[in-house]
Amino acid sequence: MLDSILLQFMIIGLLGVGSQWLSWRFRLPAIVLMSIAGLLAGPVFGFINPEQDFGEMYQPIISIAVAIILFEGSLNLDIKEIRGLGRPVIRIVTIGALISWILGSFAAHMVAGLSMAVSFVIGAIFIVTGPTVILPLLRQSKLKPRPAKILKWEGVIVDPFGALLAVFAFEIILFLSKEVEGIALVYFLLASAFAVLLGWLFGKGIGTMFEKGSIPEFLKSPVVFSAVIACFTIADEVTHETGLLAVTAMGMTLANMGIASIQDMRHFKENISMLLISTIFIMLTASLTTDTLLHVFNIEIIGYVLLMLFVVRPLSIFVSTINTDLTMKERILVGWIAPRGIVALTVASYFASILLEEGFNDASIVTSLTFALVFFTVCAHGFSIGWLARKLDLSSEGQPGVLIVGSNTFSVELAKIFQELDIPTLLTDSSWGKLSKVRRDGLPFHHGEILSEQTEYRLDMTPYDYLISVTEYDSYNALVCTTFVPAFGRKDVFRLGIESKTGDHVEQMTRSIGGRKLFAEEISLENLISKIDAGYVFRKTSITEQYDYDSYLQDREEHTILLFVVKASKRIDFIVEGHSIKPERGDTIVSLTPPSKEFNKMKAKIQKHRNL
């Protein structure tokens, strides 16, 4: 085992972020890779044991990290987002959670062999799914908006309630078996109400200070994170586990105040949350013991996990969503997806220790039982969510799509060629008049301001991996690209330059503003529109073993403009300044070709037909 704490932190960070990268690179569930990496570094090879080596600092580190992750998740819970989904979400987080608690508790008692007292405590813990596992799966699977929103809301809302329900069940057990005074239950309920009020006050206070400009921009993120830690700590010191409820209330309060500063910081907080999820999951799995892992393979534990997967979860969702507008396909998907994560592991570990202290000896297998449920659900749901979503037609995964901002002659023809290549395409413009040709040609379109807050709720951007802004205003194109860089990634956001003698020009601005400029330096929007008007046509050329890229370059017309390459992997390589392309066999080159060559080809075909 490594003696250096600093070296252990380095390994934890590398394993966590490395797992995330491998997940992205090979399209594998990140949580599964992190679990495997933590197990290999911890109980298998014994390089690290964070719980043992970090000592008293281990639990506070985990708790604060979970609080920040849960706050970041609740910061996305804008009430406007669940218009039309309010009833199913409320049913799932209330009736569904209650059914899951009761059925899970009886399953733990009858199958896993736990006493009723311990069963009802861990049954409460296991109703949680949580943003630490749900959000990475949603990013990976590209679900359609309805099921994705339901799973996200359930994960964030039920997370703190699962911990609180476990505390409540524990207090009930002590009240019934240890003759503890009933005032303890009243105190717990009052502490929970205090946590909600505290979270609301923190959220309202921070939001009001932001709106009034009382906090400078460079201090906003530090102030928010300090407030989250303070809110969590105060509530948790009053009653253990109520801190999670407090930070959830704080995040939801801020999310529904509509503060621009919170929107600006959201992606920064998502990055922090991603880093924390990566490191904390490694720490938790690396801290497990060999005995815990061996207990996972007990027949009772495996039987309990199978019951939770195939009976308890589906039944709780199907019963709780009766008489809602969820389709059968949506109910099947939501009824299957329920991975457990960091909160389940940390809370179960806490209660395992205090239940043992209170004389419940069967609680010794709680940690093994929890890890078995976490690992098997993460693996089962991580590997199956994409496949099941595609089978149920609830996935937007497939050919990467293109979102085009700005309707004009060139962008309409570009959208047509994307359609011919079976590339999902949406053309959006705030002018109904400019969309007339789009409507006549039957192309998918969205009428509205792309930068409007309402667009986030009305427009499903899940199918689109690329954004191209091609309006006649350079500064607007730059603003659109800058706004959507966090969502699409800087390398997949593009804009077309305009002639500097017309409109405005942003070429002298810093490179951090705007997207990547398409095509060659001399190619502008006006230039492309004029070529379309002059009869230029889009041409698709397949690269084969016999006809390679060099042959294409030799044969192409002199004034041909290369636009993009559709790779055999379905990814699109756009032609941008300073980036060379290397089309290979199976790729398709799309270019804007002078009409003369097309006319000659047509004439040759006609002549050939006449000679037959």
Side-chain angles (χ1 to χ4, degrees):
M1 187 178 297
L2 300 174
D3 296 327
S4 171
I5 299 296
L6 186 61
L7 190 57
Q8 289 201 39
F9 267 120
M10 181 201 75
I11 291 175
I12 290 169
L14 289 177
L15 290 176
V17 177
S19 298
Q20 294 280 2
W21 182 83
L22 288 173
S23 166
W24 166 81
R25 180 67 180 82
F26 297 104
R27 301 182 66 80
L28 296 170
I31 300 295
V32 174
L33 295 181
M34 289 187 288
S35 299
I36 294 173
L39 291 175
L40 291 175
V44 175
F45 293 112
F47 293 140
I48 57 175
N49 187 333
E51 184 175 15
Q52 176 182 314
D53 296 332
F54 295 171
E56 294 182 358
M57 290 299 297
Y58 175 80
Q59 198 59 48
I61 291 173
I62 299 290
S63 298
I64 290 174
V66 171
I68 293 172
I69 293 167
L70 196 56
F71 169 76
E72 190 276 323
S74 63
L75 206 57
N76 294 311
L77 299 184
D78 193 325
I79 298 299
K80 298 174 185 175
E81 187 183 83
I82 58 167
R83 287 174 178 168
L85 292 176
R87 191 177 185 187
V89 169
I90 293 172
R91 289 277 198 89
I92 289 172
V93 301
T94 53
I95 299 173
L98 181 62
I99 294 173
S100 180
W101 177 34
I102 294 172
L103 293 181
S105 300
F106 278 106
H109 175 62
M110 292 184 290
V111 178
L114 296 176
S115 64
M116 286 300 297
V118 176
S119 296
F120 269 90
V121 173
I122 68 164
I125 298 170
F126 292 160
I127 71 170
V128 306
T129 53
T132 60
V133 283
I134 281 295
L135 297 184
L137 287 187
L138 295 182
R139 279 192 292 267
Q140 162 207 333
S141 60
K142 297 183 69 173
L143 290 184
K144 288 185 176 179
R146 279 173 59 90
K149 289 175 182 178
I150 290 171
L151 289 170
K152 182 180 76 173
W153 276 77
E154 180 199 10
V156 176
I157 292 177
V158 173
D159 229 29
F161 284 114
L164 287 174
L165 192 57
V167 176
F168 179 73
F170 179 70
E171 295 291 345
I172 290 288
I173 290 169
L174 292 184
F175 175 72
L176 295 176
S177 62
K178 303 290 184 178
E179 298 183 357
V180 176
E181 295 183 5
I183 192 65
L185 291 177
V186 177
Y187 175 77
F188 166 72
L189 295 174
L190 290 176
S192 300
F194 168 76
V196 174
L197 177 61
L198 183 69
W200 180 82
L201 289 174
F202 265 85
K204 201 70 175 177
I206 293 294
T208 302
M209 292 173 72
F210 280 8
E211 288 178 326
K212 291 182 177 180
S214 302
I215 301 174
E217 290 295 325
F218 72 93
L219 276 180
K220 285 184 176 179
S221 291
V223 165
V224 168
F225 280 110
S226 298
V228 170
I229 295 172
C231 182
F232 170 80
T233 303
I234 293 170
D236 217 55
E237 286 296 313
V238 173
T239 296
H240 199 60
E241 302 302 338
T242 58
L244 298 179
L245 184 62
V247 295
T248 303
M250 179 182 172
M252 289 188 66
T253 302
L254 282 169
N256 289 277
M257 290 181 70
I259 304 169
S261 298
I262 297 300
Q263 299 295 328
D264 295 339
M265 290 191 298
R266 176 170 292 171
H267 295 289
F268 169 72
K269 292 190 293 293
E270 286 177 354
N271 292 336
I272 296 296
S273 180
M274 176 77 71
L275 181 62
L276 290 174
I277 290 172
S278 304
T279 55
I280 297 307
F281 221 88
I282 296 293
M283 288 176 63
L284 287 170
T285 51
S287 298
L288 296 172
T289 63
T290 306
D291 290 339
T292 300
L293 296 182
L294 293 176
H295 281 138
V296 165
F297 298 101
N298 286 354
I299 189 65
E300 296 86 358
I301 291 179
I302 293 175
Y304 175 74
V305 170
L306 292 176
L307 269 179
M308 292 294 288
L309 279 170
F310 295 104
V311 178
V312 174
R313 172 64 179 186
L315 194 59
S316 65
I317 294 299
F318 273 77
V319 172
S320 63
T321 55
I322 291 175
N323 294 328
T324 66
D325 62 349
L326 289 187
T327 65
M328 181 56 68
K329 290 181 178 180
E330 289 171 335
R331 293 169 75 185
I332 291 172
L333 180 67
V334 175
W336 169 244
I337 302 300
R340 277 65 170 189
I342 291 174
V343 172
L345 277 174
T346 54
V347 177
S349 176
Y350 165 75
F351 277 105
S353 61
I354 63 172
L355 284 168
L356 286 171
E357 289 176 3
E358 294 294 334
F360 297 97
N361 294 327
D362 53 329
S364 59
I365 69 166
V366 164
T367 302
S368 297
L369 187 66
T370 306
F371 178 73
L373 187 63
V374 169
F375 188 76
F376 285 119
T377 55
V378 161
C379 288
H381 300 147
F383 282 112
S384 66
I385 184 171
W387 173 84
L388 183 60
R390 288 190 294 272
K391 288 293 183 182
L392 297 174
D393 194 27
L394 295 175
S395 173
S396 299
E397 193 172 7
Q399 170 70 56
V402 182
L403 178 66
I404 304 174
V405 181
S407 178
N408 50 60
T409 307
F410 171 73
S411 64
V412 171
E413 295 302 319
L414 182 64
K416 286 181 182 178
I417 198 67
F418 282 138
Q419 289 275 5
E420 291 178 15
L421 290 164
D422 294 324
I423 296 172
T425 309
L426 183 71
L427 205 154
T428 176
D429 202 297
S430 59
S431 170
W432 184 253
K434 290 182 179 180
L435 289 169
S436 58
K437 181 171 174 55
V438 182
R439 302 197 305 273
R440 285 197 304 270
D441 292 341
L443 296 170
F445 70 92
H446 170 75
H447 176 230
E449 173 53 62
I450 191 70
L451 297 176
S452 168
E453 180 187 357
Q454 298 304 316
T455 301
E456 183 179 352
Y457 309 111
R458 296 178 181 174
L459 182 60
D460 176 22
M461 296 189 185
T462 309
Y464 311 109
D465 294 76
Y466 310 95
L467 180 142
I468 303 175
S469 190
V470 289
T471 72
E472 64 271 27
Y473 299 104
D474 214 5
S475 58
Y476 182 79
N477 293 337
L479 179 60
V480 169
C481 292
T482 303
T483 301
F484 286 97
V485 158
F488 288 84
R490 191 170 298 278
K491 67 184 181 64
D492 292 329
V493 173
F494 307 92
R495 63 182 173 86
L496 259 176
I498 64 169
E499 294 181 4
S500 56
K501 63 182 180 181
T502 62
D504 51 9
H505 200 55
V506 298
E507 293 306 314
Q508 301 304 317
M509 288 189 181
T510 175
R511 290 183 177 270
S512 64
I513 297 177
R516 303 166 76 190
K517 187 177 177 183
L518 283 172
F519 316 137
E521 176 67 33
E522 67 277 5
I523 302 299
S524 65
L525 176 61
E526 293 90 339
N527 181 258
L528 291 169
I529 291 176
S530 67
K531 291 185 183 301
I532 295 291
D533 294 339
Y536 274 60
V537 294
F538 286 88
R539 184 182 178 194
K540 307 185 292 289
T541 305
S542 298
I543 301 299
T544 64
E545 190 171 347
Q546 294 75 25
Y547 190 76
D548 58 15
Y549 183 50
D550 291 333
S551 301
Y552 169 78
L553 292 177
Q554 292 173 6
D555 293 347
R556 66 172 179 168
E557 189 76 11
E558 180 181 356
H559 298 292
T560 296
I561 301 174
L562 298 183
L563 300 178
F564 58 89
V565 176
V566 181
K567 307 292 288 184
S569 63
K570 296 184 179 182
R571 179 158 183 87
I572 305 173
D573 272 358
F574 289 95
I575 310 300
V576 295
E577 292 181 26
H579 174 66
S580 59
I581 61 169
K582 295 180 180 179
E584 301 171 347
R585 185 178 60 180
D587 296 348
T588 300
I589 300 175
V590 177
S591 59
L592 194 60
T593 306
S596 57
K597 187 167 186 176
E598 293 299 319
F599 291 154
N600 291 336
K601 286 178 63 180
M602 290 178 63
K603 288 179 181 178
K605 287 182 180 179
I606 293 172
Q607 188 64 39
K608 182 179 180 181
H609 181 73
R610 287 175 178 174
N611 294 334
L612 292 176

